[in-house]
């Protein structure tokens, strides 16, 4: 089941990439939140090396029981300051950094751990009140501030588009995010800004057409999440 679904998603990623003539790669982050560790193990056996979780505690429990090839763990959900200590020791890439307070805390904890934490800056392009992420107006100042922190390495930008029945509706949102991403490259050393994380089950193809380098896909691989 998961195997078929995963193959379909991978084929759709490939097709979207080719439709716009992209020659760079697109990383699939399999979003395993609300699915058991067995689901993580299943996709790992199928060759997935990047998994995404949105809660620190849930992710930690899975990491402790996971048996399989080493994985790159992505934190994609909102991060509270009091969870930063755990997040920094558990995740290779934190996608959801959206405030000065969070930047400061991550830098402080990473310094203590003798680590440089890789992060993405999350921008709420569509200004949805229900979503976290900095505004487009806040972005330049936080981008410049992040650059000054020695234990933080910004790798790019993350964006969540509003849900839309027709994903074409959110193409302009992805386009704005891609423009910010391209623009931010000039402020950092060459090659450092390489990740544009956007696109989920209902809109990942449009996101890829607009330049996503990371898509975060859960439902299309694992089916609907069950919330207890
Ligand atoms: C849950 C989640 C996803 C995956 O969503 P699907 O619609 O199941 O693909 C992607 N990104 C974030 C930030 C999420 O919280």
């Amino acid at each position: 089941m998961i195997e078929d679904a995963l193959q379909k998603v991978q084929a759709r990623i490939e097709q979207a990439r080719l439709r716009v003539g992209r020659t760079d790669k697109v990383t699939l982050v399999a979003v395993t939140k609300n699915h058991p560790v067995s689901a993580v193990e299943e996709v790992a056996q199928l060759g997935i090396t990047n998994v995404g979780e949105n809660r620190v505690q849930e992710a930690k429990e899975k990491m402790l029981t996971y048996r399989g090839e080493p994985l790159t763990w992505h934190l994609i959900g909102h991060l509270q300051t009091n969870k930063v200590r755990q997040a920094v020791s558990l995740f290779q890439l934190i996608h959801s950094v959206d405030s000065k307070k969070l930047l400061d805390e991550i830098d402080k904890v990473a310094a203590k751990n003798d680590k440089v934490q890789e992060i993405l800056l999350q921008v709420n392009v569509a200004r949805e009140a229900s979503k976290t992420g900095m505004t487009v107006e806040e972005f330049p100042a936080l981008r410049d501030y992040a650059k000054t922190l020695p234990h933080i390495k910004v790798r790019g930008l993350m964006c969540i588009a509003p849900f839309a029945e027709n994903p074409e509706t959110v193409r302009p949102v992805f386009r704005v995010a891609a423009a910010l991403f391209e623009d931010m490259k000039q402020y950092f050393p060459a090659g450092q800004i390489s990740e544009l994380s956007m696109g989920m089950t209902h809109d990942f193809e449009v996101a890829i057409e607009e330049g996503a380098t990371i898509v975060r896909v859960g439902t299309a691989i694992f089916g609907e999440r069950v919330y207890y």
Side-chain angles (χ1 to χ4, degrees), residues 94-226:
I94 301 176
H95 291 223
S96 47
V97 181
D98 64 355
S99 69
K100 178 174 183 296
K101 191 171 139 201
L102 211 41
L103 283 167
D104 283 335
E105 188 65 18
I106 293 171
D107 185 62
K108 192 178 91 188
V109 171
K112 256 189 231 155
N113 293 14
D114 213 12
K115 172 178 181 177
V116 174
Q117 178 67 52
E118 301 203 346
I119 66 151
L120 303 179
L121 295 172
Q122 183 183 348
V123 184
N124 185 351
V125 171
R127 302 174 179 283
E128 282 184 285
S130 62
K131 297 222 172 83
T132 52
M134 66 190 78
T135 63
V136 170
E137 289 72 26
E138 289 169 319
F139 175 72
L142 285 169
R143 172 200 68 204
D144 292 345
Y145 183 65
K147 221 174 84 170
T148 67
L149 301 174
H151 295 274
I152 283 188
K153 185 172 187 183
V154 183
R155 298 303 312 274
L157 191 145
M158 187 270 229
C159 152
I160 304 175
F163 178 81
E165 284 301 333
N166 178 358
E168 280 300 330
T169 316
V170 297
R171 188 181 290 278
V173 172
F174 291 141
R175 198 160 283 181
V176 169
L180 283 178
F181 169 69
E182 287 306 323
D183 179 72
M184 81 189 280
K185 289 179 178 173
Q186 65 183 295
Y187 299 94
F188 292 86
Q192 181 172 325
I193 302 300
S194 59
E195 302 305 339
L196 177 56
S197 168
M198 58 185 194
M200 307 167 38
T201 288
H202 60 281
D203 58 15
F204 70 85
E205 288 153 304
V206 175
I208 291 169
E209 289 169 7
E210 294 301 326
T213 68
I214 295 177
V215 291
R216 311 173 307 265
V217 180
T219 309
I221 300 172
F222 302 104
E224 293 292 335
R225 287 177 286 274
V226 181

Side-chain angles (χ1 to χ4, degrees), residues 38-50:
S38 58
V40 182
E41 290 167 351
E42 190 166 349
V43 288
Q45 274 164 10
L46 296 167
I48 287 290
T49 53
N50 290 274

